[in-house]
């Protein structure tokens, strides 16, 4: 019993007004220039003062495969995926059937009606909005490439009408984008208008699903985590970056390089106050970082899981020789090559214990691009203070998607914490320099930099050494150093960023999460609260855990730990590295490769709580 | 129990250089290598070269991988910073170290196993970048430290101690270096201090990657009859195609050269190399002919030695990167951080 | 108040008879040929039917540094170090002071009296036995090399007299050793006699510390674990071995190669039924193993910690593509280069979880060379049955020391378990081959080998794939495969070797150990029992753990877990991978690099138990 | 959602080879590479070569690393076993696979990033072992899959899309192969099927390591003006120094050759290569002169192509190892296990 779906009326009938609270998803083909049109759409909403979040779902190839862009408009500022699709822009014939199926009941589907549509795929509960994009663009534009690009811009124009967007904002954005090629502005605006006019003429615009100006984004930016982290590295004063390209970490070094070109390269002489080295592989990249750190520069490498696996031997070297190193693991789906363009938190255990022998490493878990910036800076301070590798575990979702976040702040009083480094003056004063003497009792020894002073000369080795820094194969001397490293790791727990805690007295259940799960969890907690389920929340920001983590778990009856991996890796870390009762920790695991969304957490938590209630 | 003894006085003479240091000040810990190991002769040559070059020891960074050869840095310049990295990965450490601080002298010591098997990739890529360092391979055709397996530099037909011949094509460090863009490529013999010391000096003065492949016999596992990396074989088949004399900056040239055969090369720091051709038909400035010459002569069993290829104009890694002169690690933080205002401004682009 | 220590009388006075129960330790210089003389000594005792254990302590160099050889004569057959030294043969001037200090009170020290001795180092409670070895050898032998070698043989001769050894056994051993060069026998016997005669003349021979013939070693052999493992690989039918030399694993491949030369190379044509490849590094070695396994050969690689670190990326590949691989990790002291010639169990966690993403691996823990043989064979069966990498975690103590163990047995009815491999006939019959279909519900799918049948053709990839074997980036399809791997790991727990349990009803406390700790723990349990402390014992042989492990822990009140690492890595595995209460597990950690000895366990356990009693 | 479509009929003609297979039977899954990518032309050449060689598809093992290029094996011979390994590590997989089973045909597909950066060590050592396989590098001077960074094969001065020139010395696969003992070294161009197909066939028939370096432009990231790996640059500077015709075993020679310039080489399987010199002064049987020739001509910007070096007598890995003819994986267990009695006997040595 099919109805004529493409009617002017249908659009307004199906459900009530959804103001600034809906999802629009765009299904495209990789490499067809849809990214910039889709960005235009999301930025327009953002500039209208309305909070959004935008996510890209793209294949591991360069051109020709399906790709999706999902914009969530959320007046409450929720950044996670919502799990629903209110408006689908279905531009990819290959995925059309799936895309139709994905629209939430009562939603809309915009398609290119240049060709007859496949009636079999019609749905009663979805309003189909056909626009003859290809036909119009073919009539309007000359070259094949322009036609393809303008098709995208044209559907943006239609959405301006359908969603009640401000066309002046669109124009402003285009002007900025094409500041260097102003001729392109009218061309693009022509396409926008084509879409706009068609929609106004044929549909009942705007839809109930629509945007209305707000004023809550003026202190906000849209930035991806890799950009923020690259920026953080520059602000931290890093001068040496070594890397080997790998999705999804590549754009981190691109960002660092770009910012440094802008701020640290002499425009006249071309002289650079930084050095980025594209290494031949990850084994080499981490070696370069360690070499540079040994020599006193702040150095880092961005990579992803396979890179960390390859770096394992060197990571143990840095741990045992106590050299700083900052590693960004922008996690993707493992094991092995896995799904390079999907997100996961699968490297938690590996990073915490990487390398053979007894090793433990400091890890930071930024929740979003904003924190990527701040924790990048922190990572360098910790690496130098603790003289050890520090991992920043971001993921594809944070690293490669543009998130809305508060404008980044900088305190000009900040000075890098270089840790216990003896300068020439200090070396001159001391009788003799011993590299691994724990003078302060915190497990951290003073180091010296090559070339600074004859008295600082010292031979760094990954083989057995005693507290004086000499080679040893003696059990006691070796063990003394190893035990001090345990002490140092205890110190680390007291200096890493504390967990973020949201709690109310009297609440017995809680949720723990970390990294990119944060936004979905916070939304889920709001919704659970609406349903009468109050839970406290702790977000882990670092390993080793501060005391507050154990105290929090102990203070609750049941603790759900939300993770994006199969094996409950953070639960493992908590079980091993705190005194808590592991049976208290209930893992909620989401690891298919798409970012977590609130509903998953809501469903799982409420199912558990209801089960307990009924038990 | 610690078995590190103090440096032994190997140079009882007290001759001092202009820094007021004696050769003993360039020594290191006592060697724990086998008596007679070629590597120890190289250590001695390094000590002499550093002493004569009058380098302040603490301005030298000594780097190595893992192997008997890679222990060498512990045996010279105890007043220098050293780093004994992991197997085959010294080049990346050197690259990072050099990136951070361009104004130290970098000397890396590796073995044929360390550089040509596990480390081949890093070795090749450090050369591609023309990293400014002296890179020595103490080449004995075997893995000494793991007890005598053939390395990739073992020649076809060279026999193991048990008499089994190697059948795999060797990877020759010199030919590899010429192919990969090494800008200073030399070969010598641990038993020939005469040739070795000036090559070490020249390699140190060269601004760029200086490879010095030194045949350094392993007396324990590869010095028998049938080995092509033994003392005897090397001596018997040693063919010097060029001889390099090294003259430090601003030093009077005292030796008199027969003009025709000698080619002076001035290096970045003002020092000069006087290159004397011994093989008439050899041209150390032409990559392709030099490498063809070496390859064909080696096929005949000759051990071709000398300064084999040199290009003192190739830009080193920092030149290519356009790094500022002041070492990066010494940059003031205020130069590196654009500050709060800039951060505010740049975020306009993210709206 | 020094006495004249070198008196004929002194030798017999100090303490009672120590028959077949003492330790003799020999301090030498690396590369002076002492190893063969020392082997002669220990084998003589062994051939006299008396149980011994022998351990080498050597530096990470080739020549000129201190090295020790420790022979424990133990009528009860204890294989661990005893912790005491009854007779010290102090041949190394550099360590002389330490060696003197190490002798147990009432013990003996044999030294070279060719030069005046350092009186300051004399001890009242030790009998010093001087023999002018160098002087006599200089007089007796011509070449410098022979003199050095014969000095060693001469002290063996002295020990024959002092310990009451059978000189005919010595001669027999020399005849076997020099079967190819019979002229060397009289030469060596001359040196033996020189030592023997000198001792008989100057000392009251034999000492109370002495050997008397027994008859308990006739079914025993002396073999190191690497030899046994290499032999196991040959018996398992492995045909491809790929490796990169690294201490202490090198002799494993040497053994395999040697045995194969003997049994699998045609003496006429020289044709080999095996292929050993010395790879360019460990990354390549594991790649070769995986390539060979993919193609249907049994393949393996021996390495140590740094090698596993380097193999991490490929290990995840084998896990995810489900290819068999057998890896021997002969553990040495980490982290990093650590102490390459010292022993540890520091790679337990790394091997269990190696590589990025969610991965878990099957591990076997042989306790001694005998088990190295049997578990090597088992490792290949498991790797093929489970289609996954299997780690055999031995260590330097097992791998490089000769242990006395029961003669190895072989059942000629054994057939390799090749697992679910479809042959041409099977492939011919099926409609279509899907690589990752779990038909049996055990998580293990059928595989096909390249080139066998057109229908078996299949594309193996480390990237996301679905159960059909096709590439996928779809969350559900990816997750389905990943979840099946969890199921497969459950199956693994039911097919790996069970733990070995020694228990009595009514005993509330227990010890858990694994690998080379076993012998010291068993001795310790005997001694604790003598002291009235009864403990049950479980020896873990494999990960994942069978049900018996959890049941055992649950059945006890307190469980001591003996490990040779700093971080209690097996306690971590037990905590994570069983349901037990982690507070029950008390780690006893010994990790200085020398093998564990019973006293350490006895002291720690009794201290804990006493503390509890007194609490 | 699964995006793997069925092979598309690219060869509508139904010509069958002696196995009764059409060219379509040699095809694979639909390519997901960019339209116009050089790699897809190589796929087409491979399909043609396999079809014409009449190889049973399931007797071929296709191996690769990671990269756009390394996806190629998915696009031909869907009836073969394939293995897509990790980045840069295909050579070790191939070595192990070949060790286990010597009688399949091995074809490995790699990229310049995959082989010359992360994979350089394995690439070089597989050649040293003269592993019997055809090894193709789809060489575009960039990392395609990670979006256009320079690879180690980028020439000095070659410009990125943003106009920045590469300044590092290139690692040339062909020169590297000649230096490391590759026994069959050729270069071609994805745009020249004429030259490519016979080289693929010859490389497959060669018993030993056959390197085929194929310039294969990346239309998305490296096909612009200023790039030296673009279609235009390659066409303009293409210099064929030899032309190889391939004649399968027992096939009548139909082409008539002018005796002087053509050199027939008979391979182990009885097939022949007719090698026609195009550059008079080029000698593909002499390592050192060939490599000097290539090096000097490349310095002038020429893209030297053809069968550049060949030595059909070098023993392959199995010959060196003296492996039995029957593949190891097919050995009966009774041959491999010495049994209980032997175990008993051998233990006498451990008493
Ligand atoms: C990752 C890793 N693999 C293997 C080893 C063992 N290893 C130590 S030194 C060495 C070879 C050394 O050979 P070479 O570089 O030629 O030095 P030489 O001892 O001959 O001077 C090897 C394989 C190691 N230390 N690390
Ligand atoms: C260990 C690891 N590091 C990095 C990557 C990311 N990566 C994938 S392909 C590639 C480069 C591919 O370049 P090339 O081999 O030239 O192939 P092309 O795409 O140009 O054909 C890189 C760096 C990876 N997959 N694995
Ligand atoms: S084993 Fe060989 S390389 Fe090592 S120290 Fe001895 S002689 Fe030198
Ligand atoms: S990015 Fe380049 S190499 Fe990759 S498929 Fe596209 S054109 Fe080919
Ligand atoms: Mg060597
Ligand atoms: Mg490429």
């Amino acid at each position: 019993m099919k109805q004529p779906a493409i009617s002017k009326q249908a659009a307004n009938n199906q459900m009530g007004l959804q103001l600034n609270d809906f999802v629009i998803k765009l299904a495209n083909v990789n490499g067809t220039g849809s990214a910039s049109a889709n960005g235009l759409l999301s930025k327009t909403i953002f500039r209208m003062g309305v909070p959004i979040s935008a996510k890209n779902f793209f294949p591991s190839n360069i051109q020709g495969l399906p790709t999706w862009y999902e914009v969530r408009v959320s007046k409450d500022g929720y950044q996670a995926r919502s799990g629903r699709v209110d408006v689908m822009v279905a531009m990819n014939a290959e995925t059309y059937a799936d895309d139709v199926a994905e629209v939430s009941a009562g939603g809309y589907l915009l398609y290119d009606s240049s060709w007859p549509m496949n009636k079999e795929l019609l749905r009663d509960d979805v309003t189909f909005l056909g626009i003859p994009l290809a036909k119009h663009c073919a009539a309007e534009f000359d070259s094949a490439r322009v036609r393809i690009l303008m098709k995208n811009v044209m559907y943006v124009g239609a959405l301006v009408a359908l969603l009640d967007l401000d066309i002046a904002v669109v124009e402003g954005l285009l002007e900025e984008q094409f500041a260097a090629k102003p001729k392109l502005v009218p061309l693009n605006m022509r396409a926008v208008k084509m879409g706009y006019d068609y929609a106004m003429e044929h549909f009942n615009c705007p839809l109930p699903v629509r945007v209305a100006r707000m004023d809550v984004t003026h202190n906000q930016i849209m930035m991806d985590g890799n950009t923020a982290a690259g920026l953080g590295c520059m602000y931290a004063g890093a001068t040496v970056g070594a890397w080997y390209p790998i999705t999804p970490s590549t754009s981190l070094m691109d960002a660092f390089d770009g910012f440094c070109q802008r701020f640290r390269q002499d425009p006249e002489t071309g002289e650079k106050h930084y050095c980025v080295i594209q290494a031949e592989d990850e084994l080499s990249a981490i070696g370069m970082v360690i070499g540079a750190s040994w020599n006193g520069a702040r150095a880092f490498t961005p990579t992803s899981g396979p890179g960390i696996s390859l770096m394992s031997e060197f990571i143990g070297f840095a741990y045992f020789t106590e050299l700083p190193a900052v590693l960004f693991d922008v996690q993707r789906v493992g094991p092995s090559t896995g799904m390079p363009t999907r997100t996961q938190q699968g490297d938690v255990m590996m990073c915490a214990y990487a390398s053979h022998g007894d090793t433990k490493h400091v890890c930071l878990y930024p929740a979003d691009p904003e924190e990527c910036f701040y924790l990048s800076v922190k990572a360098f301070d910790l690496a130098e203070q603790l003289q050890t590798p520090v991992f920043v575990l971001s993921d594809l979702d944070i690293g490669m998607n543009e998130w809305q976040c508060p404008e980044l702040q900088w305190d000009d009083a900040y000075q890098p914490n270089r840790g216990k480094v003896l300068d020439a003056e200090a070396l001159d004063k001391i009788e003799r320099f011993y590299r691994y003497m724990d003078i302060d009792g915190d497990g951290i020894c003073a180091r010296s930099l090559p070339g600074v002073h004859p008295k600082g000369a010292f031979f760094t080795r990954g083989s057995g050494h005693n507290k004086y820094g000499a080679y040893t194969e003696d059990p006691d001397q070796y063990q003394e150093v190893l035990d001090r490293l345990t002490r140092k790791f205890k110190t680390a727990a007291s200096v890493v960023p504390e967990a973020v805690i949201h709690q109310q007295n009297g609440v017995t259940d809680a949720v723990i999460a970390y990294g990119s799960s944060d936004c979905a969890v916070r939304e889920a907690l709001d919704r659970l609260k609406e349903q009468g389920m109050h839970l406290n929340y702790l977000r882990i920001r670092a390993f080793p855990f501060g005391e507050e983590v154990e105290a929090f778990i102990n203070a609750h009856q049941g603790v759900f730990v939300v993770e994006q991996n199969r094996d409950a890796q953070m639960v493992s870390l908590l079980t091993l590295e705190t005194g808590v009762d592991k049976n208290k920790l209930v893992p909620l695991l989401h690891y298919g490769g798409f970012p977590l969304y609130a509903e998953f957490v809501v469903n799982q938590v409420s199912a558990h709580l209801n089960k307990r209630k009924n038990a | 129990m610690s078995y590190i003894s103090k440096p032994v006085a190997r140079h009882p003479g007290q001759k001092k250089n202009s820094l007021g240091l004696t050769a003993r000040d360039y020594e290191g810990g006592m060697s724990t290598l086998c008596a007679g190991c070629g590597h120890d002769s190289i250590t001695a040559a390094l000590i002499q070269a550093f002493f004569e070059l009058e380098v302040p020891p603490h301005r030298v960074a000594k780097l190595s991988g893992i192997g008997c050869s890679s222990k060498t840095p512990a045996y010279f310049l105890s007043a220098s910073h050293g780093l004994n990295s992991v197997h085959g990965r010294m080049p990346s450490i050197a690259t990072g170290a050099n990136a951070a601080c361009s104004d130290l002298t970098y000397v890396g010591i590796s073995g044929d196993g360390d550089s040509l098997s596990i480390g081949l990739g890093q070795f090749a890529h450090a050369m591609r970048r023309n990293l400014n360092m002296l890179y020595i391979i103490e080449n004995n055709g075997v893995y000494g430290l793991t007890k005598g397996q053939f390395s990739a530099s073992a020649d076809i037909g060279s026999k193991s101690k048990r008499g089994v011949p190697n059948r795999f094509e060797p990877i020759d460090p010199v030919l590899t270096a010429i192919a990969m863009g090494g800008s200073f490529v030399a070969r010598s013999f641990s038993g020939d201090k005469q040739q070795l010391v000036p090559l070490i000096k020249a390699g140190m003065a060269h601004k760029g990657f200086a490879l010095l492949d030194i045949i350094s016999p392993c007396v324990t596992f590869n010095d028998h009859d049938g080995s092509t990396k033994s003392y005897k074989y090397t001596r018997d088949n040693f063919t010097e195609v060029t001889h390099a004399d090294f003259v430090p900056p601003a030093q009077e040239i005292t030796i008199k050269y027969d003009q025709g055969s000698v080619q002076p090369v001035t290096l970045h720091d003002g020092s000069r190399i006087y290159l004397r051709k011994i093989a008439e038909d050899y041209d150390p400035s032409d990559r392709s002919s030099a490498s063809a010459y070496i390859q064909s002569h080696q096929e005949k069993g000759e051990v071709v030695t000398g300064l084999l290829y040199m290009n003192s104009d190739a830009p080193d890694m920092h030149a290519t990167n356009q790094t500022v002169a002041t070492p990066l690690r010494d940059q003031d933080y205020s130069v590196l951080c654009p500050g709060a205002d800039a951060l505010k401004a740049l975020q306009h682009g993210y709206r």
Side-chain angles (χ1 to χ4, degrees), chain A residues 244-247 281-282 303 306-307 310 332 337 340:
Chain A
Y244 188 71
I246 185 166
T247 307
D281 59 22
E282 288 87 350
T303 185
L310 288 171
R332 62 192 218 182
T337 302

Side-chain angles (χ1 to χ4, degrees), chain A residues 66-372:
Chain A
T67 174
W68 292 266
Y69 186 68
E70 202 177 282
V71 184
R72 178 178 183 184
V73 182
S74 164
K75 59 180 182 311
D76 302 317
Y78 291 129
Q79 286 289 306
R81 294 171 69 206
S82 99
R84 31 182 307 124
V85 175
D86 300 289
V87 180
M88 174 70 80
V89 180
M91 301 299 294
N92 184 351
E94 212 183 321
T95 62
Y96 186 76
D98 288 324
D99 296 334
V100 169
E102 205 187 340
V103 183
S104 302
Y108 302 85
L109 185 131
L110 198 153
Y111 68 99
D112 188 343
S113 60
S114 302
W115 305 276
M117 81 175 306
N118 184 346
K119 301 263 181 225
E120 275 173 45
L121 296 173
L122 278 174
R123 277 174 57 184
D124 292 352
D125 55 349
V126 167
T127 306
F128 285 72
L129 308 171
I131 309 183
L133 298 167
K135 209 189 262 172
H136 282 227
C137 288
E140 193 72 18
F141 305 107
D142 288 338
S143 89
R145 183 77 195 147
V146 171
R147 284 173 184 170
I148 291 174
L149 293 174
M150 290 307 122
K151 238 170 59 174
N152 301 325
V153 180
M154 185 175 165
Y155 70 64
V156 172
L159 289 166
V160 168
L162 290 164
L163 304 176
D164 207 11
L165 305 183
D166 186 341
I167 203 161
V169 174
V170 176
E171 189 155 15
L173 278 164
L174 286 170
E175 277 160 5
E176 286 173 30
Q177 187 183 342
F178 299 117
K181 301 175 190 164
K183 273 190 196 151
L184 292 180
V185 179
L187 174 76
N188 277 269
M189 279 308 291
R190 210 159 88 215
V192 170
K193 290 262 173 54
M194 281 160 59
Y196 182 87
D197 293 344
Y198 188 95
M200 291 302 275
E201 192 176 327
H202 294 83
F203 311 127
N204 206 348
C205 291
L207 303 178
V209 168
R210 70 172 74 142
V211 173
R213 267 198 183 271
M214 290 173 72
D215 188 22
V216 297
T217 66
H218 64 276
N219 279 332
Q220 306 275 311
I221 54 167
M222 292 285 300
M223 193 182 267
D224 66 63
N226 285 347
T227 301
L231 192 58
C233 292
M234 182 178 65
Y235 270 77
T239 50
V240 177
W243 70 305
Y244 188 71
I246 185 166
T247 307
S249 74
T250 298
S251 54
L252 199 162
M253 192 56 97
D254 286 346
F256 177 77
D257 205 352
F259 287 124
C260 285
Q261 268 172 44
R262 198 158 142 195
F263 293 103
R264 291 217 205 131
Q265 183 167 24
D266 190 310
E268 317 248 288
T269 64
E271 277 184 343
K272 291 181 183 169
H273 294 258
Y274 69 100
C275 184
V276 170
I277 313 174
Q278 184 182 315
E280 56 275 23
D281 59 22
E282 288 87 350
L283 291 101
S284 181
I286 183 67
M288 292 173 186
V289 169
I290 293 171
S293 296
W294 173 73
N295 229 344
R298 290 198 147 184
F300 70 99
T301 184
T303 185
S304 190
I308 305 282
S309 280
L310 288 171
M311 293 176 185
S312 294
E313 190 194 19
F314 248 143
I315 290 167
F317 175 83
Y319 171 81
F320 194 40
T321 57
E322 303 183 57
L323 290 169
V326 173
L327 299 93
F328 291 88
D329 179 357
V330 187
Q331 296 164 97
R332 62 192 218 182
V333 170
S336 195
T337 302
M339 302 194 289
T341 60
R342 298 284 184 262
T343 197
Q344 215 177 47
Q345 301 178 316
D347 302 342
V348 171
M349 281 284 279
M350 172 176 64
C351 291
Y353 300 119
S355 211
H356 56 281
D358 291 302
T359 53
K360 297 193 182 189
H361 311 294
V362 175
C363 299
L364 304 179
Y365 312 99
D368 49 38
E370 182 191 14
E371 211 170 34
C372 281

Side-chain angles (χ1 to χ4, degrees), chain B residues 31-40 67-69 71 75 112 138 140 142-148 216-223 231:
Chain B
S31 170
T32 58
L33 304 180
C34 305
C37 176
H39 304 351
D40 278 339
C68 294
S69 34
K71 291 182 178 179
Y75 311 140
D112 41 333
E138 300 183 342
N140 54 15
V142 290
Y143 294 179
L145 193 56
T146 53
K147 308 210 158 180
S216 176
C218 170
V219 290
T220 304
F221 299 112
N222 204 14
D223 196 30
Y231 278 112

